[in-house]
Each structure stands twice: as C-alpha cells, then as structure tokens.
C-alpha cells in the first residue's frame, strides 16, 4: 500500500541555519504531496503542497519539489527562525491521506 | 471563517470506560475525517465521511470504536470500552470534497485522551 517515510528527529538547528527534512513516498498512482506543520499546542496546518511531478510547493520561505524519479518531497528552508520550531509531517493523498511519523524541529537563538 | 471545532480538548478515563468526542467541521465542508495520533507517530485515518455516508472505515477498530455523522454536519466518535492503547490525540479534519487526488484538509485542535 501507499506510505510515507520521513527523516527521524529530533532536529536542532541554530537560527539562520539551512534546513532539510527528507521525505520519500511509495504509491501506486500519482498522488498529491503535502507538508503539514504542527506548532506547539496547535492543530496541523497545511504548509505547502504539490499535485504533480516537478511541481514546487512554497510557503513562508519553505520549499519542496515533487520528484517522481526519486519518489521524494524533501522540505527545505534557507534560513530558519526560532518561530519555525514545530513538528513537520510529510503526507500524500491518492484519495486517502497517509502521513509520515513527523520530524520535530527546534531552532535555538 | 470559523475553523474545525472539537470538544473536549482533554479527557482522562479509566480502562473499560466509555468516551465520546465531538467535531463540528467548517461550514459547507462535505467531507469529515477522524484521525488517531499516537505520541511520536503521524495521524492515522480512522474514518472518512462524505456528507452523512461512510467513505472509508477500514482502519476503525469496529469492536470498540464507532462514529456517526447523522445530519451530514457535526460528528461524534465513541470508544466503548476504552483500552490503555487508545491513549492518543484524536483529530478531526474537514475538506470541501473528497475527489480523487488533492483536497485540502483543515484540522481541529484535537482531543487528547488518556486512558489509565
């Protein structure tokens, strides 16, 4: 069945460091791909999405490119801030949603 | 626009007791989802409704879990009787529809259940 595998955490970075959180997927069709973020004490929020191969999703300085050839959707940000501290979930949808296990990010000043 | 509402936010019960969670989706959203998120894991879909019909309940432990969405708006999820392994955050989400491919889900704040 479909599944999502993402980099385990926790990840701790200094402010202004470069962030990469790896995500790979397994799917039989052509799913849509997402990154969700969960800030402390809040519900999941959609961060960005890509609906077809080679699409790049972007939001709040975060980017991820739908790579069909490597079945990946890695999340990147060039310069993280303390306010980016949260848990990040990679997910796919082929009609049903499948979430990864989440990666906790802590950014220290 | 009001978001997805859930109540209660926290619940502590003893094993073998019953518990119910309530969710009110965003107005106009036809599709409603219940997820279980165990600590350290990603959300796992329990059940998906399209209006008041069940689209997918393949991962719902039907011997103890039940859910309904009688009027196609709000929904309740019930556990009876609860087990220790049911301790988790129960998330409700809604979307405009559920057509194949992408349909953005909006999540509620969740209900944190602790079973002692």
């Amino acid at each position: 069945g479909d599944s999502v595998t993402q980099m385990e955490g926790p990840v701790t970075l200094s402010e202004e460091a470069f962030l990469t959180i790896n995500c790979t997927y397994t799917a039989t069709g052509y799913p849509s791909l997402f990154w969700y973020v969960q800030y402390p004490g809040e519900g999941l929020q959609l961060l960005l999405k890509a609906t077809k191969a080679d699409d790049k999703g972007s939001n709040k300085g975060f980017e991820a490119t739908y790579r069909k050839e490597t079945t990946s959707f890695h999340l990147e940000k060039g310069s993280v801030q303390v306010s980016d501290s949260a848990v990040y979930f990679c997910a796919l949808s082929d009609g049903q949603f499948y979430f990864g296990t989440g990666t906790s990010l802590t950014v220290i000043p | 626009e009001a978001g997805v509402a859930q109540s209660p936010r926290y619940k502590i019960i003893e094993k073998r007791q019953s518990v119910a969670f309530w969710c009110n989706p965003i107005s106009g959203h036809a599709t409603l989802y219940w997820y279980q998120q165990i600590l350290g894991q990603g959300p796992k879909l329990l059940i998906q409704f399209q209006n008041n019909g069940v689209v997918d309940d393949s991962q719902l432990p039907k011997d103890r879990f039940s859910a309904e969405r009688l009027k196609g708006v709000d929904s309740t999820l019930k556990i009876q009787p609860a087990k220790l392994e049911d301790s988790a955050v129960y998330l409700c989400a809604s979307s405009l529809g559920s057509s194949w491919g992408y349909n953005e889900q909006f999540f509620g704040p969740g209900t944190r259940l602790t079973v002692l």
Side-chain angles (χ1 to χ4, degrees), chain A residues 18-98:
Chain A
F18 184 86
L19 168 71
T20 299
I21 301 178
N22 290 336
C23 171
T24 57
Y25 68 90
T26 301
T28 52
Y30 302 94
S32 296
L33 302 174
F34 311 86
W35 278 99
Y36 278 82
V37 59
Q38 189 171 32
Y39 297 105
E42 300 184 15
L44 275 78
Q45 303 172 27
L46 179 66
L47 180 59
L48 54 83
K49 66 182 187 293
T51 57
K52 61 182 186 299
D54 299 325
D55 268 3
K56 178 185 284 188
S58 61
N59 186 25
K60 299 182 181 180
F62 291 89
E63 292 184 340
T65 301
Y66 190 141
R67 302 283 188 202
K68 191 171 184 300
E69 63 276 14
T70 54
T71 62
S72 65
F73 193 56
H74 304 321
L75 182 69
E76 296 182 337
K77 186 174 186 182
S79 176
V80 293
Q81 305 300 313
V82 172
S83 56
D84 294 327
S85 297
V87 181
Y88 293 83
F89 293 91
C90 185
L92 72 79
S93 173
D94 58 359
Q96 182 171 340
F97 267 76
Y98 299 86

Side-chain angles (χ1 to χ4, degrees), chain B residues 26-64:
Chain B
I26 292 173
S27 178
H29 280 196
T31 306
L32 186 148
Y33 311 79
W34 282 103
Y35 288 88
Q36 180 192 59
Q37 186 179 11
I38 293 173
L39 186 65
Q41 300 181 18
K44 182 184 82 171
L45 180 69
L46 293 176
I47 188 167
Q48 177 181 337
F49 291 95
Q50 176 78 11
N51 296 309
N52 60 351
V54 176
V55 174
D56 184 349
D57 64 356
S58 56
Q59 298 195 84
L60 186 74
K62 298 181 186 64
D63 57 334
R64 298 184 301 106

